[in-house]
């Protein structure tokens, strides 16, 4: 039995029918929706992480690719979380290069918002920050693919956590500020809010210039942690 099959069997054992029924609606898998055609076993994230903890050291590159190429969402999540573990645990620079490049090569399979959000800043964001490779994220930000655009901006979470520079996040937000999909509006607003958690003045300077034209969802996410009078001023256009 392959490791991929072993992991699939373990996930299937942990599957919950109510989640298998709920996830396709939650992740919008209907025709024409962003997750069209995705399949779910019905495994909750803590159980997926338990599988990762058990198997990540055993998994070869070939195993990870087989798991990642599964039609089942939870299999792809496990593969990505194994990659995170591999990337974070190694001190070898050539191995970090390898995992970052593999992540970039496999973006067609990183195809829903949770898969992006739970992996990209831990691998690609950290890699780009540590190696001054911001242009990788700029290139992804210009992609025609929604998920690659989201990878680009969410990856800058690592930059924000480091408190080093917020310029790249703002640049990538502006690149896709008026993207037609609300998943980009939410991602952009979320990352702006994270900037505000570190440096509220940088957030308000950005908002003062752009809030009147940014999508409403993006604005609501961005201002969520501001004090209520200031939040209302932005919502009502009084600034």
């Amino acid at each position: 039995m392959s490791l991929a099959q072993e992991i699939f069997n373990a996930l299937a054992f942990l599957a919950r029918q109510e989640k298998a029924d709920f996830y396709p609606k939650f992740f919008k898998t209907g025709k024409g929706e962003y997750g069209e055609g995705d399949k779910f076993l019905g495994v909750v994230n803590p159980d997926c992480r338990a599988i990762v903890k058990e198997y990540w050291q055993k998994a070869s590159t070939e195993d990870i690719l087989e798991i990642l190429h599964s039609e089942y969402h939870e299999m792809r999540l496990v593969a990505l979380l194994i990659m995170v573990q591999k990337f974070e645990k190694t001190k070898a620079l050539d191995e970090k290069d390898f995992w970052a490049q593999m992540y970039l090569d496999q973006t067609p399979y990183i195809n829903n918002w949770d898969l992006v959000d739970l992996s990209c800043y831990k691998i690609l964001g950290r890699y780009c920050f540590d190696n001054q490779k911001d242009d990788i994220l700029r290139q992804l930000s210009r992609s025609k693919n929604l998920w690659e655009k989201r990878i680009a901006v969410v990856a800058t979470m690592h930059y924000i956590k480091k408190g080093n520079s917020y310029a790249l996040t703002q640049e990538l937000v502006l690149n896709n500020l008026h993207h037609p999909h609300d998943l980009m509006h939410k991602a952009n607003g979320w990352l702006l809010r994270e900037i505000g958690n570190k440096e509220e003045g940088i957030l308000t300077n950005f908002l003062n210039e752009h809030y009147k034209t940014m999508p409403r969802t993006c604005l609501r996410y961005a201002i969520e942690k501001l004090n209520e009078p200031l939040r209302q001023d932005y919502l009502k256009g009084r600034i």
Side-chain angles (χ1 to χ4, degrees):
M1 183 187 301
S2 70
L3 190 72
Q5 185 62 53
E6 191 174 336
I7 288 175
F8 178 84
N9 291 347
L11 287 170
F13 178 78
L14 295 168
R16 306 179 188 185
Q17 187 58 51
E18 69 274 15
K19 295 298 183 182
D21 295 337
F22 171 71
Y23 284 154
K25 300 171 187 175
F26 183 71
F27 287 102
K28 308 295 185 186
T29 64
K31 187 171 179 58
E33 294 182 309
Y34 62 75
E36 181 177 351
D38 205 354
K39 294 185 178 181
F40 291 84
L41 291 165
V43 186
V44 296
N45 275 12
D47 286 342
C48 288
R49 290 185 181 278
I51 296 294
V52 172
K53 185 176 181 180
E54 181 176 351
Y55 286 100
W56 77 268
Q57 290 178 296
K58 306 174 189 176
S60 68
T61 301
E62 292 73 20
D63 293 325
I64 293 168
L65 288 173
E66 184 178 354
I67 301 162
L68 185 60
H69 295 174
S70 171
E71 62 183 337
Y72 287 97
H73 189 100
E74 294 95 337
M75 287 280 280
R76 299 198 302 281
L77 176 59
V78 165
L80 291 166
L81 294 178
I82 289 174
M83 287 176 63
V84 169
Q85 286 290 99
K86 298 278 192 182
F87 180 87
E88 290 183 339
K89 296 299 184 181
T90 185
K91 291 182 170 58
L93 297 181
D94 60 335
E95 290 186 26
K96 289 189 180 294
D97 289 343
F98 174 83
W99 292 115
Q101 186 58 55
M102 181 168 159
Y103 192 91
L104 285 167
D105 291 342
Q106 298 302 317
T107 56
Y109 301 95
I110 309 170
N111 57 355
N112 215 309
W113 58 265
D114 64 318
L115 303 180
V116 170
D117 297 354
L118 292 172
S119 63
C120 70
Y121 74 90
K122 294 184 176 182
I123 297 177
L124 204 56
R126 180 175 173 182
Y127 178 79
C128 291
F129 180 87
D130 288 346
N131 294 280
Q132 294 80 53
K133 291 184 178 289
D134 298 356
D135 282 347
I136 290 175
L137 302 183
R138 290 189 175 101
Q139 184 175 352
L140 288 171
S141 182
R142 294 190 292 269
S143 170
K144 293 181 180 179
N145 181 276
L146 167 65
W147 305 120
E148 291 188 346
K149 287 179 179 293
R150 186 168 173 121
I151 286 170
V153 71
V154 175
T156 67
M157 176 71 79
H158 185 80
Y159 291 62
I160 296 170
K161 285 179 178 291
K162 287 294 184 179
N164 179 274
S165 171
Y166 310 109
L168 182 62
T169 303
Q170 294 174 80
E171 176 188 336
L172 300 188
V173 166
L174 287 174
N175 281 355
N176 292 292
L177 188 63
H178 299 290
H179 190 277
H181 207 294
D182 73 342
L183 284 175
M184 281 307 302
H185 305 168
K186 292 175 181 178
N188 288 336
W190 168 30
L191 272 295
L192 290 172
R193 184 179 71 225
E194 292 299 320
I195 291 175
N197 288 342
K198 291 278 192 176
E199 297 283 350
E200 186 173 300
I202 294 176
L203 170 61
T204 55
N205 286 342
F206 182 94
L207 291 173
N208 292 348
E209 185 173 354
H210 301 289
Y211 86 96
K212 288 186 177 179
T213 61
M214 68 170 51
R216 199 70 169 173
T217 297
C218 178
L219 176 62
R220 287 186 178 277
Y221 271 61
I223 65 176
E224 186 177 10
K225 298 293 181 67
L226 297 180
N227 68 69
E228 188 59 20
L230 182 57
R231 204 178 73 83
Q232 290 299 322
D233 284 343
Y234 281 118
L235 287 173
K236 295 177 180 177
R238 296 191 294 235
I239 294 175

